[in-house]
Amino acid sequence: MQRFITYILILCFISPCLSIRSNVGTTNDIYNVMDFGAVGDGKTDDAQAFASAWSKACQAGGMSTLVIPSGKSFLVTKVNFNGPCNAKILIKFQGQIIAPPKSGWKSEAYLISIEHVNGLTIDGNDQGGVDGDGSTWWDCKSCNRPDVLFFNACNDLSVNKLKISNSPRAHVAVTQCNHATFSGISIDSPATSPNTDGFDISFSTYVLIQDSNIKSGDDCVAINGGSSFINVTGVYCGPGHGISVGSLGLKRSDDRVSNVHVRNCTLTGTQNGARIKTAAGGSGYAKNITYEQIILQNVRNPIFIDQAYNNRLDDTSIMVSSVTYRGFTGTSNCVFSINLNCSTSGCFDILLDQNNIVLPGKTASAFCRNAHGTATNTVPNVGCLSK
């Protein structure tokens, strides 16, 4: 009995030490930008406070939470959240960030950049957002207009329930990121805003955009060179230019895109629906691309392969192949609801299946040039597709 009591006493002394050791590296320190001098009145430049809070959060061990609190509007002229970081970071993005007018920007490339940060989670909780004040930029045709939010070399990234509006150019730019998920994103810019892509993706793999609503003056999603295994699902697009692969081959670049899957999306009043666009002089390929279960509402070019994007059909070696369009339903406002305008080298292994696209009050048609593949159970008839 004496030995048993002694054993219990030893465990009582040791167990607190064991508990302390088990928590090593799992602390979660909170860094609120207000504690670093942010004002949040929408007038004072809070960029330095954001930078200071990020520096502390990034350098900490274990886990860190950067808080952008609700009920505040933070004017920032330029923010860089750079890694690599010691901590795994959560950004609680609950307040509003607003950009200055064009004359007050301190960067020609972006408002907020996040680079070389792995395992980052951004949670907007349907409250947090960024307004890029793009209307002060849009009339400047010669300006090198910046993006609002730029992710570079961020692996295992998760961005949830964030609102982004009125970007001078692209709202979200993603490059050199692997395994990134964007969920519940709301993007809102007018149809007349130039080049305001919702998402611009390049040189990235395993990117998922899901359950999001995108209104823009350009592509809702643009999938550019160097990208593969890109999934877009549950996206509402419109106004905008559709969900596009490309443009590829601009400035004679070698661009390669593969394994793209777009499904269960709704396009309303867009200039294009499912588009692949390539430019003359370029090289590379667009292959293994699937668009399926797409709802169309008054879309001008529902299915569009455009290998004359810069008004030339010759002098291109970008190969378009293994493209599937399945389960398109709804309305177009253009006679050529299916337009497969391929270069002289041709597009191959094009499959259209179970599509029903109508032109209210008129008869829709299909146009093909150098397009090879099969069409089954598709309206309008695609008899121009060569086998």
Side-chain angles (χ1 to χ4, degrees), residues 24 63 86 138 148-149 155 190 248 266 296 312 316 318 356 375:
V24 172
M63 299 180 63
N86 297 324
W138 294 333
V148 160
L149 188 54
N155 301 326
L248 307 180
T266 299
L296 308 164
R312 293 177 61 190
T316 181
I318 297 177
N356 187 17

Side-chain angles (χ1 to χ4, degrees), residues 13 41 67 74 127 161 173 185 202 214 228 245 247 278 299 310 315 328 385:
F13 283 110
D41 61 359
V67 177
F74 300 94
Q127 300 179 63
K161 297 183 178 180
I185 307 300
S202 59
I214 303 173
S228 61
V245 172
S247 52
T278 73
V299 174
N310 57 352
D315 189 29
F328 281 63
L385 191 63

Side-chain angles (χ1 to χ4, degrees), residues 328-373:
F328 281 63
T329 59
T331 59
S332 171
N333 60 26
C334 179
V335 171
F336 293 113
S337 299
I338 297 174
N339 189 343
L340 308 176
N341 192 24
C342 301
S343 69
T344 53
S345 58
C347 304
F348 296 90
D349 194 21
I350 309 300
L351 172 63
L352 296 103
D353 181 42
Q354 301 180 52
N355 302 299
N356 187 17
I357 305 171
V358 297
L359 178 63
K362 298 180 181 180
T363 301
S365 300
F367 172 83
C368 307
R369 176 180 286 150
N370 304 319
H372 308 276

Side-chain angles (χ1 to χ4, degrees), residues 54 81-82 91 93 110 112-117 120-122 147-155 157-160 162 164 171-178 180-182 185 198-204:
W54 174 262
F81 291 159
N82 293 337
I91 299 179
F93 201 139
Y110 45 75
I112 303 168
S113 73
I114 302 176
E115 302 188 65
H116 303 284
V117 182
L120 173 67
T121 297
I122 301 175
D147 304 329
V148 160
L149 188 54
F150 173 64
F151 294 96
N152 177 49
C154 295
N155 301 326
L157 170 69
S158 179
V159 183
N160 308 300
L162 193 63
I164 308 166
H171 290 77
V172 182
V174 181
T175 183
Q176 299 187 82
C177 293
N178 300 312
T181 297
F182 297 86
I185 307 300
F199 284 87
D200 253 336
I201 303 170
S202 59
F203 299 101
S204 297

Side-chain angles (χ1 to χ4, degrees), residues 33 38 40-47 49-51 66-81 91-100 105 110-114 122 127-134 147-149 162-168:
V33 295
D41 61 359
K43 300 177 182 179
T44 305
D45 186 0
D46 288 321
F50 275 65
L66 178 71
V67 177
I68 303 170
S70 61
K72 298 288 185 179
S73 293
F74 300 94
L75 174 71
V76 298
T77 50
K78 179 181 178 181
V79 173
N80 301 96
F81 291 159
I91 299 179
K92 284 190 174 182
F93 201 139
Q94 299 168 337
Q96 305 298 312
I97 289 179
I98 58 175
W105 280 65
Y110 45 75
L111 180 67
I112 303 168
S113 73
I114 302 176
I122 301 175
Q127 300 179 63
V130 186
D131 189 323
D133 197 17
D147 304 329
V148 160
L149 188 54
L162 193 63
K163 299 177 181 179
I164 308 166
S165 60
N166 300 315
S167 177

Side-chain angles (χ1 to χ4, degrees), residues 205-222:
T205 61
Y206 296 100
V207 176
L208 169 62
I209 300 169
Q210 64 181 356
D211 304 328
S212 297
N213 194 321
I214 303 173
K215 301 176 182 179
S216 74
D218 209 310
D219 293 321
C220 290
V221 180

